[in-house]
Structure formats: C-alpha cells, structure tokens
Amino acid sequence: MAEAEAEIVRSRPVRRFTWRTGQWHRPGLEYLVSTGRHHGFESFEEESLLLVADFAADLTEALSQPFRLRFESTAGSMEHTPDFLLLTGTGPWLVDVRPGDRIRPEDALKFAAAAEAALAAGWRYSVVSGWRENVPELVDALSAGRRQLSDPIGLQGELLGAVAAGPLNFGDLVGRCSVPAVARAHAVHLMWHRRLGIDVSAPLTDTSPVRLAPRDAGTGAAA
C-alpha cells in the first residue's frame, strides 16, 4: 500500500466517546438508517450534522474523528482531528462542526489545514457553523419516520398517487387517503426517504406544500 493511502473504512475514532457527570459537552450515539448502526458524536451540533447527513447526503458511511492531522505552522507544530468523514454517493466529504461564534483564529488555521489535506486526497471539505432556520428541528421531526413501515392497506401508494398531478398541502394530502390519521405517519416516512418533497426551511404544518420527488415524478408515482 502506498504511503498516501489508508483503509479509511477500517479506522477507529481518534478519541473515545465518554460520559461523565459534570462534563460541559453532550456526547452520545446517533443511529443512522444509511449505515444501520450507531455513530458517536460529541455535541448537539455534531448530532444534528449526522441526522441531516442521514437524511440528505446520499450517505453510505460516516466515520467519527477519522484521523489526527499533524502539520507545521508559523506558531509551531499543531494537531487537529476532523469531526467526521462522510462517504457519500458523490464521494468523500470531510467535515468539521463548530458554531460560528466559537471559531477562534487557531481553529480557522486548523480548518485551513484540514481543507488542504482533503484537497490533496480528492475529498470535499466543509465547516458546518450553523443551520438555516427550522432545518435541524424539521429533520429531527422527520426522523421519526425513518424506520421501515408495514403498509398492508397501501397508504403509501395513495399518497404518491394523490400528488402525481401536482403539489398538495399536507392536510389535504392525508385527507384524500382512506385512513388519514395513519396516512400522516406514512407521509412522514416518505418525506424522510425522499419520495415526497417539502420545503425544509419552514415548519411542517397542514398548510405545507408537498410534492412528488423527482425520482417518482417520471414513473407515475409507483409505490
């Protein structure tokens, strides 16, 4: 194996995720449907990143704290451990998570080094410093429908068929189904799995427009 190569998918987190009384940050484990297992995080902001990636990033793997980067600067030797390496359908994406008001000059230097390392590896790199309003809350709400649902009476087909001709408000959409109360759960499930599309920058209410996702729009909304 060449010096510049590594079996990233076999890596283990650089630091262990620990829980103890009085610690200032909030670590935990987040289950991702995309990988079928739990992944460690060290803060609420990192948990939100994992959840959004599971929803929207065409994710195939998520590696927490994948490696330690050592580099030289005018201030001397420095180290940095990126928060995540996300493997997606469009390629690897190295990510650091830090609220914008907590990024110090030394952090910016470490992020710049991580960006250069990602560029050399042919990866994308981002610093997630915040989210547009409503996005984390909405994705968290949609995550209630991420697990598989049995559909013995075909409600998912009814939902997809109802919006085949054009968008409908959420309340009108479920109201057209044979069992509206149960159809709500199936609608959320289809939203999570990107079969139904909504505006993630606004709260989900009965007046929210719901449309057919592009992959179903060309197939006549087959369930």
Side-chain angles (χ1 to χ4, degrees):
M1 182 177 294
E3 183 178 354
E5 296 178 348
E7 294 187 79
I8 292 295
V9 294
R10 294 188 179 182
S11 69
R12 294 184 178 182
V14 172
R15 297 187 297 270
R16 291 185 177 182
F17 296 93
T18 59
W19 296 264
R20 63 183 183 277
T21 302
Q23 66 188 78
W24 64 271
H25 62 300
R26 198 202 75 172
L29 297 172
E30 180 66 31
Y31 177 82
L32 303 184
V33 172
S34 302
T35 65
R37 68 179 195 278
H38 290 82
H39 298 260
F41 61 84
E42 289 191 318
S43 66
F44 171 76
E45 290 80 11
E46 289 186 12
E47 181 184 19
S48 295
L49 182 278
L50 284 174
L51 199 59
V52 171
D54 197 25
F55 172 65
D58 193 18
L59 198 64
T60 59
E61 185 58 86
L63 304 174
S64 304
Q65 300 179 1
F67 56 84
R68 180 178 290 115
L69 178 66
R70 296 184 175 93
F71 62 97
E72 297 293 328
S73 73
T74 55
S77 298
M78 300 186 72
E79 293 185 351
H80 175 58
T81 300
D83 292 315
F84 299 103
L85 178 60
L86 305 178
L87 305 184
T88 76
T90 57
W93 201 322
L94 192 63
V95 180
D96 276 303
V97 182
R98 187 69 57 87
D101 58 358
R102 288 173 47 198
I103 297 178
R104 301 165 298 179
E106 57 266 36
D107 296 323
L109 180 59
K110 293 176 180 179
F111 297 158
E116 289 297 318
L119 180 63
W123 304 340
R124 288 176 291 177
Y125 176 74
S126 294
V127 177
V128 178
S129 59
W131 298 100
R132 292 184 179 180
E133 189 177 3
N134 297 310
V135 170
E137 295 81 2
L138 179 59
V139 174
D140 183 58
L142 294 181
S143 71
R146 57 186 169 171
R147 298 182 186 273
Q148 291 301 314
L149 285 178
S150 61
D151 187 22
I153 58 177
L155 288 170
Q156 293 182 22
E158 293 181 23
L159 289 161
L160 294 170
V163 293
L168 289 171
N169 289 346
F170 183 51
D172 295 334
L173 171 60
V174 297
R176 295 192 181 192
C177 295
S178 54
V179 188
V182 181
R184 286 180 177 271
H186 283 277
V188 170
H189 177 79
L190 292 174
M191 291 172 191
W192 173 269
H193 289 281
R194 312 299 290 277
R195 305 282 308 276
L196 293 176
I198 57 171
D199 180 2
V200 296
S201 67
L204 178 62
T205 68
D206 277 355
T207 61
S208 299
V210 181
R211 56 185 52 84
L212 202 60
R215 72 171 186 178
D216 287 305
T219 63

